[in-house]
Amino acid sequence: MAWDFETEPEFQMQLDWMDKFVREEVEPLDLVLGDPYDVTNRKMVEITRPLMERVKERGLWACHLGPDLGGQGFGQLKLALMNEILGRSRFAPRIFGCQAPDSGNAEILAHYGSAAQQQRYLKPLLEGDIVSCYSMTEPHAGADPTMFRTRAVRDGDEWVIDGEKWFSSNAKHASFLIVMAVTNTEVSPYQGMSMFIVPRAVKGVNIVRNVGLIGDRMGEGHHAWIRYEGVRVPADHMLGKEGSAFVIAQTRLGGGRIHHAMRTVATIRKAFDMMCRRALSRETQGERLAEKQMVQEAIADSWIEIEQFRLLVLRTAWRIDRMKDYRRVRKDIAAVKVAMPKVLHDVCYRSMHLHGALGVSNELPLAGMWMSAAALGIADGPTEVHKVTVARQVLRDYEPYEGVFPPEHIPTRREALRSRFAELIEHEAGAF
């Protein structure tokens, strides 16, 4: 029987190096640099490039990809332990070559891209020279991709794309977008959609506006509302086979959801650490906050919730490594997705509350961390959809019973056992 909660000493050394490196060299960048995705910012590139090289020398660059693409081919369990560190900083995923959505797009190109596509788009993406965008959801469709209307029509050696996409993250910085479009209206949406690589500079890729999250200034967000108006791309820019978009999307989204959770563990721990230090440092009414029972309750509840969530994430990562098939771990991934925003919300709120007026100010990161829980409850599918997935997957392991009473009905069980053990019961009764 193999069951272990320890990390191999060699990999633990790498994690220890990462922890120190991120804390001392990367986290400070969050305070002095702007957008990690703005590769046109020469100062940002000059500062981050040497750090990327140190990561590569350490053998920790783009570890989610195989050695043929410059990574280590780490399984999800190792990636989870790494992301628990990287999630502390906005810049850390970029410094380590695993920032979303580029990491997921790189996986798509690695699995489904042709040699020419990989040379033109994947190679510079992995080098950190460019960033990309995943353009899937649409303004009217919400969480239902079967309602997508963006069309791609074949015209000779080209595909012509028309439609609208919503919340296409980092489109304003992207060199290319991966776009999901309907290519066949005569079949089910699950067989009638395809994926395309669309260079950002192509005529007809029009950003209506960039939408921000809570607290962002109008027009300064990262999530683009895009109109594709007569966008022409060569036929060889289709990813995989025609009609395979749903299969490709699940390959990407399954990994993306668990990676979001891995990084969220780090965010929650950061809020929790701030809560504990505050409780030990602040006094009111003659005693430290740490000595107040309601504060102790908040700390205890938070620690328990964090550990439960982290173990669920690690177990799911372990199951992905064992199964080698995201479809067989749908229930686990969905459960992680459901748990993530609630734990983040609750722990951040307690920490924010404990810091008083400072906690809700823009001089601490807590308010932003707390508000991000709402975004995580929607990204990659809303919580409700994933709860339905969990319930359906769980119910597959059960069978209905016949008759009026359930199998655990005590009078019915007693009657059945009375006939089964009749001789023994009579013998025991006769002994008295």
Side-chain angles (χ1 to χ4, degrees), residues 183-196:
T183 50
N184 186 349
T185 59
E186 303 299 319
V187 298
S188 160
Y190 295 100
Q191 285 81 44
M193 295 194 193
S194 304
M195 290 281 195
F196 296 90

Side-chain angles (χ1 to χ4, degrees), residues 93-125:
R94 173 162 174 76
I95 300 291
F96 281 75
C98 60
Q99 72 277 9
D102 297 329
S103 57
N105 290 343
E107 284 198 66
I108 287 179
L109 288 165
H111 284 95
Y112 299 98
S114 66
Q117 290 171 346
Q118 290 178 359
Q119 179 65 28
R120 180 173 175 181
Y121 298 106
L122 179 58
K123 185 176 179 181
L125 187 64

